[in-house]
Every structure is written in structure tokens, then in C-alpha cells.
mmCIF file with all atom_site columns, all heavy atoms in Angstrom:
data_model
loop_
_atom_site.group_PDB
_atom_site.id
_atom_site.type_symbol
_atom_site.label_atom_id
_atom_site.label_alt_id
_atom_site.label_comp_id
_atom_site.label_asym_id
_atom_site.label_entity_id
_atom_site.label_seq_id
_atom_site.pdbx_PDB_ins_code
_atom_site.Cartn_x
_atom_site.Cartn_y
_atom_site.Cartn_z
_atom_site.occupancy
_atom_site.B_iso_or_equiv
_atom_site.pdbx_formal_charge
_atom_site.auth_seq_id
_atom_site.auth_comp_id
_atom_site.auth_asym_id
_atom_site.auth_atom_id
_atom_site.pdbx_PDB_model_num
ATOM 1   N N   . ARG J 1 1  ? 0.789  -1.259  -0.001  1.00 0.00 ? 270 ARG J N   1
ATOM 2   C CA  . ARG J 1 1  ? -0.023 0.055   -0.046  1.00 0.00 ? 270 ARG J CA  1
ATOM 3   C C   . ARG J 1 1  ? 0.887  1.247   0.006   1.00 0.00 ? 270 ARG J C   1
ATOM 4   O O   . ARG J 1 1  ? 0.385  2.343   -0.450  1.00 0.00 ? 270 ARG J O   1
ATOM 5   C CB  . ARG J 1 1  ? -0.932 0.114   1.232   1.00 0.00 ? 270 ARG J CB  1
ATOM 6   C CG  . ARG J 1 1  ? -1.987 -0.931  1.082   1.00 0.00 ? 270 ARG J CG  1
ATOM 7   C CD  . ARG J 1 1  ? -3.019 -0.775  2.338   1.00 0.00 ? 270 ARG J CD  1
ATOM 8   N NE  . ARG J 1 1  ? -4.210 -1.728  2.039   1.00 0.00 ? 270 ARG J NE  1
ATOM 9   C CZ  . ARG J 1 1  ? -4.212 -3.012  2.660   1.00 0.00 ? 270 ARG J CZ  1
ATOM 10  N NH1 . ARG J 1 1  ? -3.197 -3.328  3.361   1.00 0.00 ? 270 ARG J NH1 1
ATOM 11  N NH2 . ARG J 1 1  ? -5.293 -3.787  2.402   1.00 0.00 ? 270 ARG J NH2 1
ATOM 12  N N   . LYS J 1 2  ? 2.116  1.144   0.477   1.00 0.00 ? 271 LYS J N   1
ATOM 13  C CA  . LYS J 1 2  ? 2.964  2.327   0.527   1.00 0.00 ? 271 LYS J CA  1
ATOM 14  C C   . LYS J 1 2  ? 3.607  2.726   -0.788  1.00 0.00 ? 271 LYS J C   1
ATOM 15  O O   . LYS J 1 2  ? 4.085  3.790   -0.900  1.00 0.00 ? 271 LYS J O   1
ATOM 16  C CB  . LYS J 1 2  ? 4.025  2.157   1.648   1.00 0.00 ? 271 LYS J CB  1
ATOM 17  C CG  . LYS J 1 2  ? 3.477  1.957   3.121   1.00 0.00 ? 271 LYS J CG  1
ATOM 18  C CD  . LYS J 1 2  ? 4.652  1.653   3.980   1.00 0.00 ? 271 LYS J CD  1
ATOM 19  C CE  . LYS J 1 2  ? 4.183  1.366   5.434   1.00 0.00 ? 271 LYS J CE  1
ATOM 20  N NZ  . LYS J 1 2  ? 5.327  0.957   6.346   1.00 0.00 ? 271 LYS J NZ  1
ATOM 21  N N   . LYS J 1 3  ? 3.762  1.778   -1.698  1.00 0.00 ? 272 LYS J N   1
ATOM 22  C CA  . LYS J 1 3  ? 4.511  1.933   -2.845  1.00 0.00 ? 272 LYS J CA  1
ATOM 23  C C   . LYS J 1 3  ? 3.717  2.473   -3.987  1.00 0.00 ? 272 LYS J C   1
ATOM 24  O O   . LYS J 1 3  ? 2.764  1.941   -4.514  1.00 0.00 ? 272 LYS J O   1
ATOM 25  C CB  . LYS J 1 3  ? 5.105  0.655   -3.269  1.00 0.00 ? 272 LYS J CB  1
ATOM 26  C CG  . LYS J 1 3  ? 5.935  -0.106  -2.173  1.00 0.00 ? 272 LYS J CG  1
ATOM 27  C CD  . LYS J 1 3  ? 7.241  0.573   -1.865  1.00 0.00 ? 272 LYS J CD  1
ATOM 28  C CE  . LYS J 1 3  ? 8.052  -0.256  -0.933  1.00 0.00 ? 272 LYS J CE  1
ATOM 29  N NZ  . LYS J 1 3  ? 9.340  0.401   -0.610  1.00 0.00 ? 272 LYS J NZ  1
ATOM 30  N N   . GLU J 1 4  ? 4.184  3.608   -4.413  1.00 0.00 ? 273 GLU J N   1
ATOM 31  C CA  . GLU J 1 4  ? 3.501  4.243   -5.619  1.00 0.00 ? 273 GLU J CA  1
ATOM 32  C C   . GLU J 1 4  ? 3.603  3.465   -6.899  1.00 0.00 ? 273 GLU J C   1
ATOM 33  O O   . GLU J 1 4  ? 2.746  3.330   -7.748  1.00 0.00 ? 273 GLU J O   1
ATOM 34  C CB  . GLU J 1 4  ? 4.090  5.705   -5.850  1.00 0.00 ? 273 GLU J CB  1
ATOM 35  C CG  . GLU J 1 4  ? 3.551  6.367   -7.158  1.00 0.00 ? 273 GLU J CG  1
ATOM 36  C CD  . GLU J 1 4  ? 2.029  6.594   -7.078  1.00 0.00 ? 273 GLU J CD  1
ATOM 37  O OE1 . GLU J 1 4  ? 1.402  6.730   -5.964  1.00 0.00 ? 273 GLU J OE1 1
ATOM 38  O OE2 . GLU J 1 4  ? 1.412  6.767   -8.169  1.00 0.00 ? 273 GLU J OE2 1
ATOM 39  N N   . SER J 1 5  ? 4.759  2.803   -6.978  1.00 0.00 ? 274 SER J N   1
ATOM 40  C CA  . SER J 1 5  ? 5.037  1.902   -8.234  1.00 0.00 ? 274 SER J CA  1
ATOM 41  C C   . SER J 1 5  ? 4.132  0.782   -8.207  1.00 0.00 ? 274 SER J C   1
ATOM 42  O O   . SER J 1 5  ? 3.985  0.117   -9.259  1.00 0.00 ? 274 SER J O   1
ATOM 43  C CB  . SER J 1 5  ? 6.525  1.435   -8.241  1.00 0.00 ? 274 SER J CB  1
ATOM 44  O OG  . SER J 1 5  ? 6.777  0.648   -7.077  1.00 0.00 ? 274 SER J OG  1
ATOM 45  N N   . LEU J 1 6  ? 3.448  0.381   -7.111  1.00 0.00 ? 275 LEU J N   1
ATOM 46  C CA  . LEU J 1 6  ? 2.564  -0.787  -7.106  1.00 0.00 ? 275 LEU J CA  1
ATOM 47  C C   . LEU J 1 6  ? 1.102  -0.412  -7.107  1.00 0.00 ? 275 LEU J C   1
ATOM 48  O O   . LEU J 1 6  ? 0.210  -1.163  -6.601  1.00 0.00 ? 275 LEU J O   1
ATOM 49  C CB  . LEU J 1 6  ? 2.815  -1.579  -5.814  1.00 0.00 ? 275 LEU J CB  1
ATOM 50  C CG  . LEU J 1 6  ? 4.253  -2.047  -5.682  1.00 0.00 ? 275 LEU J CG  1
ATOM 51  C CD1 . LEU J 1 6  ? 4.483  -2.900  -4.264  1.00 0.00 ? 275 LEU J CD1 1
ATOM 52  C CD2 . LEU J 1 6  ? 4.653  -3.013  -6.691  1.00 0.00 ? 275 LEU J CD2 1
ATOM 53  N N   . LYS J 1 7  ? 0.784  0.767   -7.736  1.00 0.00 ? 276 LYS J N   1
ATOM 54  C CA  . LYS J 1 7  ? -0.586 1.198   -7.790  1.00 0.00 ? 276 LYS J CA  1
ATOM 55  C C   . LYS J 1 7  ? -1.506 0.310   -8.458  1.00 0.00 ? 276 LYS J C   1
ATOM 56  O O   . LYS J 1 7  ? -2.737 0.234   -8.185  1.00 0.00 ? 276 LYS J O   1
ATOM 57  C CB  . LYS J 1 7  ? -0.601 2.616   -8.376  1.00 0.00 ? 276 LYS J CB  1
ATOM 58  C CG  . LYS J 1 7  ? -0.255 2.614   -10.013 1.00 0.00 ? 276 LYS J CG  1
ATOM 59  C CD  . LYS J 1 7  ? -0.453 4.041   -10.535 1.00 0.00 ? 276 LYS J CD  1
ATOM 60  C CE  . LYS J 1 7  ? -0.086 4.131   -11.978 1.00 0.00 ? 276 LYS J CE  1
ATOM 61  N NZ  . LYS J 1 7  ? -0.303 5.410   -12.547 1.00 0.00 ? 276 LYS J NZ  1
ATOM 62  N N   . PHE J 1 8  ? -1.056 -0.628  -9.396  1.00 0.00 ? 277 PHE J N   1
ATOM 63  C CA  . PHE J 1 8  ? -1.926 -1.467  -10.109 1.00 0.00 ? 277 PHE J CA  1
ATOM 64  C C   . PHE J 1 8  ? -2.091 -2.816  -9.300  1.00 0.00 ? 277 PHE J C   1
ATOM 65  O O   . PHE J 1 8  ? -2.808 -3.656  -9.692  1.00 0.00 ? 277 PHE J O   1
ATOM 66  C CB  . PHE J 1 8  ? -1.481 -1.796  -11.488 1.00 0.00 ? 277 PHE J CB  1
ATOM 67  C CG  . PHE J 1 8  ? -1.543 -0.561  -12.401 1.00 0.00 ? 277 PHE J CG  1
ATOM 68  C CD1 . PHE J 1 8  ? -0.452 0.054   -12.966 1.00 0.00 ? 277 PHE J CD1 1
ATOM 69  C CD2 . PHE J 1 8  ? -2.802 -0.123  -12.684 1.00 0.00 ? 277 PHE J CD2 1
ATOM 70  C CE1 . PHE J 1 8  ? -0.482 1.065   -13.825 1.00 0.00 ? 277 PHE J CE1 1
ATOM 71  C CE2 . PHE J 1 8  ? -2.928 0.972   -13.513 1.00 0.00 ? 277 PHE J CE2 1
ATOM 72  C CZ  . PHE J 1 8  ? -1.868 1.634   -14.128 1.00 0.00 ? 277 PHE J CZ  1
ATOM 73  N N   . LEU J 1 9  ? -1.258 -2.990  -8.311  1.00 0.00 ? 278 LEU J N   1
ATOM 74  C CA  . LEU J 1 9  ? -1.242 -4.287  -7.593  1.00 0.00 ? 278 LEU J CA  1
ATOM 75  C C   . LEU J 1 9  ? -2.130 -4.057  -6.386  1.00 0.00 ? 278 LEU J C   1
ATOM 76  O O   . LEU J 1 9  ? -1.877 -3.394  -5.393  1.00 0.00 ? 278 LEU J O   1
ATOM 77  C CB  . LEU J 1 9  ? 0.205  -4.606  -7.142  1.00 0.00 ? 278 LEU J CB  1
ATOM 78  C CG  . LEU J 1 9  ? 0.441  -5.869  -6.289  1.00 0.00 ? 278 LEU J CG  1
ATOM 79  C CD1 . LEU J 1 9  ? -0.059 -7.132  -7.258  1.00 0.00 ? 278 LEU J CD1 1
ATOM 80  C CD2 . LEU J 1 9  ? 1.852  -6.056  -5.934  1.00 0.00 ? 278 LEU J CD2 1
ATOM 81  N N   . ASN J 1 10 ? -3.264 -4.930  -6.360  1.00 0.00 ? 279 ASN J N   1
ATOM 82  C CA  . ASN J 1 10 ? -4.159 -4.759  -5.225  1.00 0.00 ? 279 ASN J CA  1
ATOM 83  C C   . ASN J 1 10 ? -3.568 -5.638  -4.058  1.00 0.00 ? 279 ASN J C   1
ATOM 84  O O   . ASN J 1 10 ? -3.343 -6.692  -4.179  1.00 0.00 ? 279 ASN J O   1
ATOM 85  C CB  . ASN J 1 10 ? -5.469 -5.340  -5.687  1.00 0.00 ? 279 ASN J CB  1
ATOM 86  C CG  . ASN J 1 10 ? -6.547 -5.498  -4.583  1.00 0.00 ? 279 ASN J CG  1
ATOM 87  O OD1 . ASN J 1 10 ? -6.496 -4.591  -3.664  1.00 0.00 ? 279 ASN J OD1 1
ATOM 88  N ND2 . ASN J 1 10 ? -7.410 -6.347  -4.697  1.00 0.00 ? 279 ASN J ND2 1
ATOM 89  N N   . PRO J 1 11 ? -3.394 -4.889  -2.889  1.00 0.00 ? 280 PRO J N   1
ATOM 90  C CA  . PRO J 1 11 ? -2.803 -5.642  -1.718  1.00 0.00 ? 280 PRO J CA  1
ATOM 91  C C   . PRO J 1 11 ? -3.607 -6.916  -1.269  1.00 0.00 ? 280 PRO J C   1
ATOM 92  O O   . PRO J 1 11 ? -2.992 -7.835  -0.770  1.00 0.00 ? 280 PRO J O   1
ATOM 93  C CB  . PRO J 1 11 ? -2.871 -4.621  -0.630  1.00 0.00 ? 280 PRO J CB  1
ATOM 94  C CG  . PRO J 1 11 ? -2.877 -3.183  -1.437  1.00 0.00 ? 280 PRO J CG  1
ATOM 95  C CD  . PRO J 1 11 ? -3.676 -3.522  -2.606  1.00 0.00 ? 280 PRO J CD  1
ATOM 96  N N   . ASN J 1 12 ? -5.008 -6.791  -1.497  1.00 0.00 ? 281 ASN J N   1
ATOM 97  C CA  . ASN J 1 12 ? -5.785 -7.921  -1.043  1.00 0.00 ? 281 ASN J CA  1
ATOM 98  C C   . ASN J 1 12 ? -5.596 -9.175  -1.884  1.00 0.00 ? 281 ASN J C   1
ATOM 99  O O   . ASN J 1 12 ? -6.006 -10.309 -1.478  1.00 0.00 ? 281 ASN J O   1
ATOM 100 C CB  . ASN J 1 12 ? -7.304 -7.531  -1.006  1.00 0.00 ? 281 ASN J CB  1
ATOM 101 C CG  . ASN J 1 12 ? -7.537 -6.406  -0.039  1.00 0.00 ? 281 ASN J CG  1
ATOM 102 O OD1 . ASN J 1 12 ? -6.939 -6.353  0.986   1.00 0.00 ? 281 ASN J OD1 1
ATOM 103 N ND2 . ASN J 1 12 ? -8.531 -5.596  -0.413  1.00 0.00 ? 281 ASN J ND2 1
ATOM 104 N N   . ASN J 1 13 ? -4.950 -9.041  -2.972  1.00 0.00 ? 282 ASN J N   1
ATOM 105 C CA  . ASN J 1 13 ? -4.490 -10.263 -3.798  1.00 0.00 ? 282 ASN J CA  1
ATOM 106 C C   . ASN J 1 13 ? -3.127 -10.754 -3.455  1.00 0.00 ? 282 ASN J C   1
ATOM 107 O O   . ASN J 1 13 ? -2.630 -11.711 -4.045  1.00 0.00 ? 282 ASN J O   1
ATOM 108 C CB  . ASN J 1 13 ? -4.571 -9.943  -5.350  1.00 0.00 ? 282 ASN J CB  1
ATOM 109 C CG  . ASN J 1 13 ? -6.071 -10.173 -5.911  1.00 0.00 ? 282 ASN J CG  1
ATOM 110 O OD1 . ASN J 1 13 ? -6.813 -10.719 -5.221  1.00 0.00 ? 282 ASN J OD1 1
ATOM 111 N ND2 . ASN J 1 13 ? -6.174 -9.850  -7.103  1.00 0.00 ? 282 ASN J ND2 1
ATOM 112 N N   . CYS J 1 14 ? -2.482 -10.126 -2.480  1.00 0.00 ? 283 CYS J N   1
ATOM 113 C CA  . CYS J 1 14 ? -1.147 -10.469 -2.148  1.00 0.00 ? 283 CYS J CA  1
ATOM 114 C C   . CYS J 1 14 ? -1.177 -11.365 -0.925  1.00 0.00 ? 283 CYS J C   1
ATOM 115 O O   . CYS J 1 14 ? -1.783 -10.793 0.162   1.00 0.00 ? 283 CYS J O   1
ATOM 116 C CB  . CYS J 1 14 ? -0.236 -9.138  -1.922  1.00 0.00 ? 283 CYS J CB  1
ATOM 117 S SG  . CYS J 1 14 ? -0.209 -8.099  -3.355  1.00 0.00 ? 283 CYS J SG  1
ATOM 118 N N   . SER J 1 15 ? -0.512 -12.417 -0.926  1.00 0.00 ? 284 SER J N   1
ATOM 119 C CA  . SER J 1 15 ? -0.502 -13.267 0.197   1.00 0.00 ? 284 SER J CA  1
ATOM 120 C C   . SER J 1 15 ? 0.633  -14.197 0.227   1.00 0.00 ? 284 SER J C   1
ATOM 121 O O   . SER J 1 15 ? 1.124  -14.640 -0.870  1.00 0.00 ? 284 SER J O   1
ATOM 122 C CB  . SER J 1 15 ? -1.733 -14.113 0.310   1.00 0.00 ? 284 SER J CB  1
ATOM 123 O OG  . SER J 1 15 ? -1.789 -15.062 1.365   1.00 0.00 ? 284 SER J OG  1
ATOM 124 N N   . ILE J 1 16 ? 1.201  -14.523 1.474   1.00 0.00 ? 285 ILE J N   1
ATOM 125 C CA  . ILE J 1 16 ? 2.312  -15.474 1.456   1.00 0.00 ? 285 ILE J CA  1
ATOM 126 C C   . ILE J 1 16 ? 1.778  -16.939 1.425   1.00 0.00 ? 285 ILE J C   1
ATOM 127 O O   . ILE J 1 16 ? 2.496  -17.855 1.510   1.00 0.00 ? 285 ILE J O   1
ATOM 128 C CB  . ILE J 1 16 ? 3.190  -15.219 2.656   1.00 0.00 ? 285 ILE J CB  1
ATOM 129 C CG1 . ILE J 1 16 ? 2.380  -15.452 3.980   1.00 0.00 ? 285 ILE J CG1 1
ATOM 130 C CG2 . ILE J 1 16 ? 3.848  -13.830 2.559   1.00 0.00 ? 285 ILE J CG2 1
ATOM 131 C CD1 . ILE J 1 16 ? 3.226  -15.275 5.253   1.00 0.00 ? 285 ILE J CD1 1
ATOM 132 N N   . PHE J 1 17 ? 0.505  -17.074 1.655   1.00 0.00 ? 286 PHE J N   1
ATOM 133 C CA  . PHE J 1 17 ? -0.154 -18.338 1.674   1.00 0.00 ? 286 PHE J CA  1
ATOM 134 C C   . PHE J 1 17 ? -0.393 -18.993 0.302   1.00 0.00 ? 286 PHE J C   1
ATOM 135 O O   . PHE J 1 17 ? -0.301 -20.252 0.023   1.00 0.00 ? 286 PHE J O   1
ATOM 136 C CB  . PHE J 1 17 ? -1.579 -18.217 2.356   1.00 0.00 ? 286 PHE J CB  1
ATOM 137 C CG  . PHE J 1 17 ? -1.449 -17.748 3.857   1.00 0.00 ? 286 PHE J CG  1
ATOM 138 C CD1 . PHE J 1 17 ? -1.634 -16.572 4.215   1.00 0.00 ? 286 PHE J CD1 1
ATOM 139 C CD2 . PHE J 1 17 ? -1.033 -18.739 4.772   1.00 0.00 ? 286 PHE J CD2 1
ATOM 140 C CE1 . PHE J 1 17 ? -1.577 -16.211 5.488   1.00 0.00 ? 286 PHE J CE1 1
ATOM 141 C CE2 . PHE J 1 17 ? -0.970 -18.314 6.094   1.00 0.00 ? 286 PHE J CE2 1
ATOM 142 C CZ  . PHE J 1 17 ? -1.138 -16.986 6.483   1.00 0.00 ? 286 PHE J CZ  1
ATOM 143 N N   . THR J 1 18 ? -0.770 -18.124 -0.630  1.00 0.00 ? 287 THR J N   1
ATOM 144 C CA  . THR J 1 18 ? -1.074 -18.665 -2.011  1.00 0.00 ? 287 THR J CA  1
ATOM 145 C C   . THR J 1 18 ? -0.369 -17.884 -3.060  1.00 0.00 ? 287 THR J C   1
ATOM 146 O O   . THR J 1 18 ? -0.117 -16.663 -2.728  1.00 0.00 ? 287 THR J O   1
ATOM 147 C CB  . THR J 1 18 ? -2.599 -18.544 -2.218  1.00 0.00 ? 287 THR J CB  1
ATOM 148 O OG1 . THR J 1 18 ? -3.083 -17.213 -2.014  1.00 0.00 ? 287 THR J OG1 1
ATOM 149 C CG2 . THR J 1 18 ? -3.350 -19.408 -1.278  1.00 0.00 ? 287 THR J CG2 1
ATOM 150 N N   . ALA J 1 19 ? -0.353 -18.432 -4.304  1.00 0.00 ? 288 ALA J N   1
ATOM 151 C CA  . ALA J 1 19 ? 0.243  -17.703 -5.383  1.00 0.00 ? 288 ALA J CA  1
ATOM 152 C C   . ALA J 1 19 ? -0.681 -16.688 -5.899  1.00 0.00 ? 288 ALA J C   1
ATOM 153 O O   . ALA J 1 19 ? -1.932 -16.890 -5.816  1.00 0.00 ? 288 ALA J O   1
ATOM 154 C CB  . ALA J 1 19 ? 0.709  -18.693 -6.524  1.00 0.00 ? 288 ALA J CB  1
ATOM 155 N N   . HIS J 1 20 ? -0.167 -15.536 -6.381  1.00 0.00 ? 289 HIS J N   1
ATOM 156 C CA  . HIS J 1 20 ? -1.078 -14.548 -7.026  1.00 0.00 ? 289 HIS J CA  1
ATOM 157 C C   . HIS J 1 20 ? -1.821 -15.219 -8.303  1.00 0.00 ? 289 HIS J C   1
ATOM 158 O O   . HIS J 1 20 ? -1.138 -16.061 -8.999  1.00 0.00 ? 289 HIS J O   1
ATOM 159 C CB  . HIS J 1 20 ? -0.270 -13.359 -7.520  1.00 0.00 ? 289 HIS J CB  1
ATOM 160 C CG  . HIS J 1 20 ? -1.049 -12.196 -7.900  1.00 0.00 ? 289 HIS J CG  1
ATOM 161 N ND1 . HIS J 1 20 ? -1.718 -12.021 -9.151  1.00 0.00 ? 289 HIS J ND1 1
ATOM 162 C CD2 . HIS J 1 20 ? -1.428 -11.129 -7.176  1.00 0.00 ? 289 HIS J CD2 1
ATOM 163 C CE1 . HIS J 1 20 ? -2.343 -10.943 -9.175  1.00 0.00 ? 289 HIS J CE1 1
ATOM 164 N NE2 . HIS J 1 20 ? -2.205 -10.278 -8.035  1.00 0.00 ? 289 HIS J NE2 1
ATOM 165 N N   . PRO J 1 21 ? -3.037 -14.878 -8.729  1.00 0.00 ? 290 PRO J N   1
ATOM 166 C CA  . PRO J 1 21 ? -3.717 -15.395 -9.749  1.00 0.00 ? 290 PRO J CA  1
ATOM 167 C C   . PRO J 1 21 ? -2.978 -15.212 -11.075 1.00 0.00 ? 290 PRO J C   1
ATOM 168 O O   . PRO J 1 21 ? -3.106 -16.039 -12.073 1.00 0.00 ? 290 PRO J O   1
ATOM 169 C CB  . PRO J 1 21 ? -5.042 -14.568 -9.770  1.00 0.00 ? 290 PRO J CB  1
ATOM 170 C CG  . PRO J 1 21 ? -5.221 -14.193 -8.368  1.00 0.00 ? 290 PRO J CG  1
ATOM 171 C CD  . PRO J 1 21 ? -3.983 -13.838 -7.873  1.00 0.00 ? 290 PRO J CD  1
ATOM 172 N N   . VAL J 1 22 ? -2.068 -14.226 -11.246 1.00 0.00 ? 291 VAL J N   1
ATOM 173 C CA  . VAL J 1 22 ? -1.176 -14.065 -12.392 1.00 0.00 ? 291 VAL J CA  1
ATOM 174 C C   . VAL J 1 22 ? -0.552 -15.351 -12.780 1.00 0.00 ? 291 VAL J C   1
ATOM 175 O O   . VAL J 1 22 ? -0.435 -15.826 -13.785 1.00 0.00 ? 291 VAL J O   1
ATOM 176 C CB  . VAL J 1 22 ? -0.135 -12.869 -12.207 1.00 0.00 ? 291 VAL J CB  1
ATOM 177 C CG1 . VAL J 1 22 ? 0.894  -12.970 -13.230 1.00 0.00 ? 291 VAL J CG1 1
ATOM 178 C CG2 . VAL J 1 22 ? -0.953 -11.640 -12.303 1.00 0.00 ? 291 VAL J CG2 1
ATOM 179 N N   . TYR J 1 23 ? -0.012 -16.010 -11.579 1.00 0.00 ? 292 TYR J N   1
ATOM 180 C CA  . TYR J 1 23 ? 0.691  -17.251 -11.776 1.00 0.00 ? 292 TYR J CA  1
ATOM 181 C C   . TYR J 1 23 ? -0.171 -18.608 -11.612 1.00 0.00 ? 292 TYR J C   1
ATOM 182 O O   . TYR J 1 23 ? -0.001 -19.561 -12.373 1.00 0.00 ? 292 TYR J O   1
ATOM 183 C CB  . TYR J 1 23 ? 1.794  -17.369 -10.745 1.00 0.00 ? 292 TYR J CB  1
ATOM 184 C CG  . TYR J 1 23 ? 2.963  -16.432 -11.035 1.00 0.00 ? 292 TYR J CG  1
ATOM 185 C CD1 . TYR J 1 23 ? 3.131  -15.231 -10.179 1.00 0.00 ? 292 TYR J CD1 1
ATOM 186 C CD2 . TYR J 1 23 ? 3.792  -16.654 -12.137 1.00 0.00 ? 292 TYR J CD2 1
ATOM 187 C CE1 . TYR J 1 23 ? 4.236  -14.400 -10.558 1.00 0.00 ? 292 TYR J CE1 1
ATOM 188 C CE2 . TYR J 1 23 ? 4.796  -15.716 -12.516 1.00 0.00 ? 292 TYR J CE2 1
ATOM 189 C CZ  . TYR J 1 23 ? 4.986  -14.629 -11.694 1.00 0.00 ? 292 TYR J CZ  1
ATOM 190 O OH  . TYR J 1 23 ? 5.983  -13.784 -11.898 1.00 0.00 ? 292 TYR J OH  1
ATOM 191 N N   . SER J 1 24 ? -1.099 -18.512 -10.546 1.00 0.00 ? 293 SER J N   1
ATOM 192 C CA  . SER J 1 24 ? -1.881 -19.662 -10.350 1.00 0.00 ? 293 SER J CA  1
ATOM 193 C C   . SER J 1 24 ? -2.814 -20.060 -11.587 1.00 0.00 ? 293 SER J C   1
ATOM 194 O O   . SER J 1 24 ? -3.183 -21.294 -11.678 1.00 0.00 ? 293 SER J O   1
ATOM 195 C CB  . SER J 1 24 ? -2.827 -19.373 -9.050  1.00 0.00 ? 293 SER J CB  1
ATOM 196 O OG  . SER J 1 24 ? -3.624 -18.449 -9.268  1.00 0.00 ? 293 SER J OG  1
ATOM 197 N N   . THR J 1 25 ? -3.137 -19.107 -12.376 1.00 0.00 ? 294 THR J N   1
ATOM 198 C CA  . THR J 1 25 ? -4.039 -19.333 -13.527 1.00 0.00 ? 294 THR J CA  1
ATOM 199 C C   . THR J 1 25 ? -3.220 -19.940 -14.763 1.00 0.00 ? 294 THR J C   1
ATOM 200 O O   . THR J 1 25 ? -3.740 -20.332 -15.637 1.00 0.00 ? 294 THR J O   1
ATOM 201 C CB  . THR J 1 25 ? -4.714 -18.214 -14.002 1.00 0.00 ? 294 THR J CB  1
ATOM 202 O OG1 . THR J 1 25 ? -3.791 -17.064 -14.300 1.00 0.00 ? 294 THR J OG1 1
ATOM 203 C CG2 . THR J 1 25 ? -5.777 -17.669 -13.089 1.00 0.00 ? 294 THR J CG2 1
ATOM 204 N N   . CYS J 1 26 ? -1.917 -20.028 -14.519 1.00 0.00 ? 295 CYS J N   1
ATOM 205 C CA  . CYS J 1 26 ? -1.090 -20.744 -15.659 1.00 0.00 ? 295 CYS J CA  1
ATOM 206 C C   . CYS J 1 26 ? -1.237 -22.145 -15.660 1.00 0.00 ? 295 CYS J C   1
ATOM 207 O O   . CYS J 1 26 ? -0.885 -22.849 -16.557 1.00 0.00 ? 295 CYS J O   1
ATOM 208 C CB  . CYS J 1 26 ? 0.407  -20.184 -15.390 1.00 0.00 ? 295 CYS J CB  1
ATOM 209 S SG  . CYS J 1 26 ? 0.758  -18.522 -15.698 1.00 0.00 ? 295 CYS J SG  1
ATOM 210 N N   . ILE J 1 27 ? -1.638 -22.720 -14.582 1.00 0.00 ? 296 ILE J N   1
ATOM 211 C CA  . ILE J 1 27 ? -1.751 -24.221 -14.385 1.00 0.00 ? 296 ILE J CA  1
ATOM 212 C C   . ILE J 1 27 ? -0.724 -24.956 -14.844 1.00 0.00 ? 296 ILE J C   1
ATOM 213 O O   . ILE J 1 27 ? -0.785 -26.018 -15.539 1.00 0.00 ? 296 ILE J O   1
ATOM 214 C CB  . ILE J 1 27 ? -3.155 -24.636 -15.058 1.00 0.00 ? 296 ILE J CB  1
ATOM 215 C CG1 . ILE J 1 27 ? -4.241 -23.662 -14.963 1.00 0.00 ? 296 ILE J CG1 1
ATOM 216 C CG2 . ILE J 1 27 ? -3.738 -25.937 -14.705 1.00 0.00 ? 296 ILE J CG2 1
ATOM 217 C CD1 . ILE J 1 27 ? -5.520 -23.865 -15.700 1.00 0.00 ? 296 ILE J CD1 1
ATOM 218 N N   . GLY J 1 28 ? 0.478  -24.689 -14.496 1.00 0.00 ? 297 GLY J N   1
ATOM 219 C CA  . GLY J 1 28 ? 1.714  -25.423 -14.721 1.00 0.00 ? 297 GLY J CA  1
ATOM 220 C C   . GLY J 1 28 ? 2.217  -25.418 -16.179 1.00 0.00 ? 297 GLY J C   1
ATOM 221 O O   . GLY J 1 28 ? 3.060  -26.219 -16.502 1.00 0.00 ? 297 GLY J O   1
ATOM 222 N N   . ASN J 1 29 ? 1.701  -24.556 -17.044 1.00 0.00 ? 298 ASN J N   1
ATOM 223 C CA  . ASN J 1 29 ? 2.021  -24.467 -18.473 1.00 0.00 ? 298 ASN J CA  1
ATOM 224 C C   . ASN J 1 29 ? 3.313  -23.566 -18.565 1.00 0.00 ? 298 ASN J C   1
ATOM 225 O O   . ASN J 1 29 ? 3.194  -22.271 -18.339 1.00 0.00 ? 298 ASN J O   1
ATOM 226 C CB  . ASN J 1 29 ? 0.857  -23.840 -19.195 1.00 0.00 ? 298 ASN J CB  1
ATOM 227 C CG  . ASN J 1 29 ? 1.170  -23.825 -20.802 1.00 0.00 ? 298 ASN J CG  1
ATOM 228 O OD1 . ASN J 1 29 ? 2.268  -23.439 -21.173 1.00 0.00 ? 298 ASN J OD1 1
ATOM 229 N ND2 . ASN J 1 29 ? 0.268  -24.250 -21.532 1.00 0.00 ? 298 ASN J ND2 1
#
């Protein structure tokens, strides 16, 4: 939330528990 460069990155999609959908939707391809 503090980084201006991360304005397109929604903090609520960031977690150390799971991969971000950018990667998880690749389904190992």
C-alpha cells in the first residue's frame, strides 16, 4: 500500500499463503 510503483497491484490479492492469480492461472504451463 505504501509503494506508488505498485498502484496496479491490489494488496488484497497479495498473500504469502497462495500464489497470485497471475501465476496460479497458468496451471503449470
